[in-house]
Amino acid sequence: MRARPHTAAAAAALLAATALGLAPHQAQAAPAAAPQSSPQASPEVRFHDIPGSGGITLKGNVFTPAGAAPGRTYPLIVLPTSWGLPQVEYVAQARQLADSGYTVVSYTSRGFWLSGGQIETAGPADVADVSAVIDWALAHTPADPDHVGLGGVSYAAGISLLAAAHDPRVKAVVALSGWADLIESIYSGRTQHLQAAGLLGAAGYLTGRPGPELQQVLGDFLGSRLENEQAMIDWGRKRSAAGQVDRINANGAAVMLGNAWGDTVFPPNQYAEFFEKLTGPKRLEFRPGDHATAEATGLFGLPNDTWTDAHRWFDRYLKGERNGVDTEPPVRITSRSTGGYEDYPDWKSVGSGGEERIPLDGSEHLWANVDSGADGGIVLLSSVLDQFAKAPPVVSVPLLPRAFAAVWQSPRYERERRVRGTVRLHTTVTPTKGDGTFVAYLYDVGPLGLGKLVSNAPYTFHGKTPGQSFGVDLDLFSTAYDVPGGHRLALVVDTVDPLYIEHNPTGAQLTFSSPRTDPSYVSVPLREQ
């Protein structure tokens, strides 16, 4: 077993991410450095120490509408900060929301920067903090107790969904680039997402104070201490709104979810599955990009479709405005290839054009522990290149070393194939060792043999009998990608990817076969032509 550290790349990405915020002392100086023309011209902002749960102090800011009349109340929106960012993260959005008639309270999540406590990773204390901030806002700001909303990006999204399950005062949630299932996010396929966990861990230590429980779990996770696997899973489930969806439904909050197809921290599958279980007002949006990049420009106050829809969602469910967002199809996606919007009545309809099954005939034998060159890319970077330059990770499929990579290809397509939704792999594996990892990739292969990554997903097994076959069903990460006419699809499987920790013992080999009684295939969902 080898855990290849790529924390240098993660740390570099972290520094780029934290550049979005200001250092703590800068955050405190912001009020004096931001002149306002008059109390009537723009929303008023004040910085406050807000009591959190358990007696800690949270550093926050409050935006109120310009010229707020005494005794008048306004709908309240609470915005916890993202992982590693300070309270000024939402200044641009908070100002816009206040300008349109909201009281907005943003605060630095516990354990980060100047807020008290330790990082609990959306634990019970973080959820209690949200309720404590609502309590404080109702007592100290012109907030309307009957119209309370939550929202934010990444860590804030996860906390907001959990808080909506515990505080019935919450009427609307906008959860962007977050998680509903923490296990399926960074431990999908029973495989540690190394770069994602390294990024989060580095950010926690650089900008905050990880609590002992987080330190233990992170050490066990990155150290592949399988004897503590169930404890790690239990820890993650307590922090996953997917396990509390019944409470969210009972409380009736209107929930908007937004994410990127290439999110390497919180992949889109788990959001789509959670969305399907919601019974109240709901909306799901997927766009090209990586973690938090779909809504990033909005944090600078620039035009941004994700934040525009977030404002419309709050306006409908906190103000009661009839703006049409509730009558539109609840699922909106943007193709990675064309950039155009597509609307659907539900998630299942995204691949309503049927499925194409590509048979995985024959038998492919792999030696493990060697990177074939087929990789999922680099956390944060690769999907951003796909978002802005239509340049996903690329590999020469004909040149992949067949001793270390299994390759199956479809016939060349005469016309375009619009891949929509979740690609599924069904195969039979025979290992020579009891433990192992493999990664499946779907590529769009052009006439010259260059393959552009469409999707991927890892799979790890433990405790199997060497030499004994077993079946595998693996969902690749959901996507929306158009394969041009004249191209073909290729499924590639290898055993090493820098995104993930692999568990292949030295000398391990894997055989992928297609028994006559249980043929192997990859199922590709398609959009109606």
Side-chain angles (χ1 to χ4, degrees):
M1 180 191 308
R2 297 198 309 261
R4 292 173 174 79
H6 290 266
T7 52
L14 160 70
L15 294 176
T18 52
L20 294 173
L22 299 177
H25 68 277
Q26 292 172 303
Q28 299 305 305
Q36 300 180 19
S37 55
S38 73
Q40 303 297 321
S42 62
E44 180 183 9
V45 58
R46 294 182 182 274
F47 286 75
H48 292 274
D49 287 347
I50 301 174
S53 65
I56 72 160
T57 297
L58 302 169
K59 295 294 182 177
N61 57 60
V62 177
F63 281 83
T64 54
R72 181 180 175 183
T73 60
Y74 302 86
L76 169 66
I77 296 176
V78 175
L79 303 172
T81 58
S82 301
W83 186 275
L85 293 183
Q87 58 177 314
V88 295
E89 176 185 5
Y90 300 110
V91 162
Q93 285 301 317
R95 186 179 295 276
Q96 291 178 17
L97 287 165
D99 209 24
S100 63
Y102 291 96
T103 296
V104 185
V105 179
S106 177
Y107 68 92
T108 302
S109 299
R110 71 163 49 221
F112 288 103
W113 298 91
L114 295 180
S115 280
Q118 296 177 315
I119 302 173
E120 303 290 344
T121 321
D126 291 294
V127 175
D129 282 344
V130 174
S131 293
V133 171
I134 294 174
D135 292 341
W136 180 88
L138 295 177
H140 296 87
T141 74
D144 183 346
D146 296 322
H147 299 90
V148 177
L150 303 176
V153 177
S154 186
Y155 191 45
I159 291 175
S160 294
L161 290 173
L162 288 163
H166 290 268
D167 196 324
R169 294 175 296 183
V170 177
K171 305 304 181 186
V173 176
V174 172
L176 306 178
S177 292
W179 79 90
D181 189 326
L182 192 56
I183 300 301
E184 282 301 309
S185 293
I186 61 174
Y187 196 48
S188 68
R190 207 179 176 186
T191 308
Q192 299 106 308
H193 293 210
L194 173 61
Q195 291 187 17
L199 171 65
L200 295 174
Y205 278 100
L206 283 174
T207 64
R209 301 166 300 282
E213 192 174 16
L214 173 58
Q215 294 182 47
Q216 179 68 44
V217 169
L218 191 61
D220 290 343
F221 187 84
L222 294 177
S224 298
R225 300 183 186 119
L226 293 177
E227 67 274 15
N228 295 330
E229 181 184 35
Q230 190 57 52
M232 289 186 284
I233 291 174
D234 292 342
W235 177 88
R237 284 176 176 163
K238 292 177 183 177
R239 290 157 170 80
S240 298
Q244 303 182 43
V245 67
D246 289 344
R247 299 182 65 166
I248 295 175
N249 290 335
N251 287 340
V255 178
M256 173 181 162
L257 305 170
N259 205 353
W261 293 119
D263 194 320
T264 45
V265 180
F266 303 126
N269 300 45
Q270 45 92 31
Y271 248 19
E273 293 173 7
F274 177 70
F275 171 82
E276 288 290 272
K277 296 176 183 177
L278 293 170
T279 58
K282 59 184 180 178
R283 184 177 180 91
L284 177 68
E285 298 187 357
F286 285 148
R287 292 179 169 84
D290 206 310
H291 185 61
T293 64
E295 57 271 6
T297 56
L299 295 177
F300 294 100
L302 300 175
N304 181 279
D305 289 348
T306 301
W307 281 105
T308 296
D309 286 345
H311 287 228
R312 294 175 65 220
W313 193 255
F314 283 135
D315 289 346
R316 175 66 187 90
Y317 291 103
L318 296 183
K319 288 184 178 179
E321 292 185 3
R322 298 290 180 178
N323 56 19
V325 72
D326 55 328
T327 61
E328 297 170 358
V331 176
R332 165 166 285 188
I333 69 171
T334 305
S335 167
R336 291 167 49 199
S337 305
T338 65
Y341 285 126
E342 300 171 11
D343 293 327
Y344 298 89
D346 51 41
W347 173 248
K348 294 178 181 177
S349 299
V350 171
S352 58
E355 67 169 4
E356 176 176 346
R357 285 197 173 188
I358 302 172
L360 309 180
D361 296 328
S363 179
E364 295 282 346
H365 181 84
L366 302 184
W367 290 86
N369 299 316
V370 175
D371 190 339
S372 71
D375 291 325
I378 299 173
V379 66
L380 292 183
L381 176 61
S382 296
S383 293
V384 170
L385 292 175
D386 182 40
Q387 177 183 1
F388 294 107
K390 300 292 188 293
V394 174
V395 70
S396 176
V397 174
L399 296 181
L400 288 171
R402 299 309 173 91
F404 311 116
V407 179
W408 298 267
Q409 297 192 74
S410 72
R412 199 176 302 277
Y413 298 122
E414 293 183 0
R415 58 189 178 91
E416 182 183 61
R417 291 291 195 276
R418 299 177 180 178
V419 181
R420 297 292 185 274
T422 305
V423 175
R424 293 181 169 90
L425 167 66
H426 175 75
T427 190
T428 296
V429 180
T430 307
T432 61
K433 305 287 185 179
D435 302 330
T437 298
F438 67 85
V439 184
Y441 310 88
L442 188 69
Y443 285 102
D444 160 26
V445 184
L448 299 179
L450 289 180
K452 293 184 177 181
L453 186 66
V454 177
S455 185
N456 78 100
Y459 184 90
T460 294
F461 58 90
H462 297 288
K464 298 295 185 180
T465 302
Q468 183 172 318
S469 301
F470 61 93
V472 170
D473 289 288
L474 176 63
D475 286 356
L476 277 64
F477 301 135
S478 302
T479 194
Y481 184 95
D482 300 339
V483 181
H487 289 213
R488 66 181 75 206
L489 285 169
L491 182 80
V492 176
V493 177
D494 73 359
T495 62
V496 175
D497 189 311
L499 282 174
Y500 312 112
I501 290 178
E502 49 97 350
H503 295 261
N504 296 299
T506 301
Q509 303 169 49
L510 300 176
T511 299
F512 295 85
S513 59
S514 183
R516 183 174 56 84
T517 56
D518 186 19
S520 296
Y521 61 86
V522 59
S523 172
V524 181
L526 302 174
R527 178 190 175 191
E528 291 183 0
Q529 296 295 326

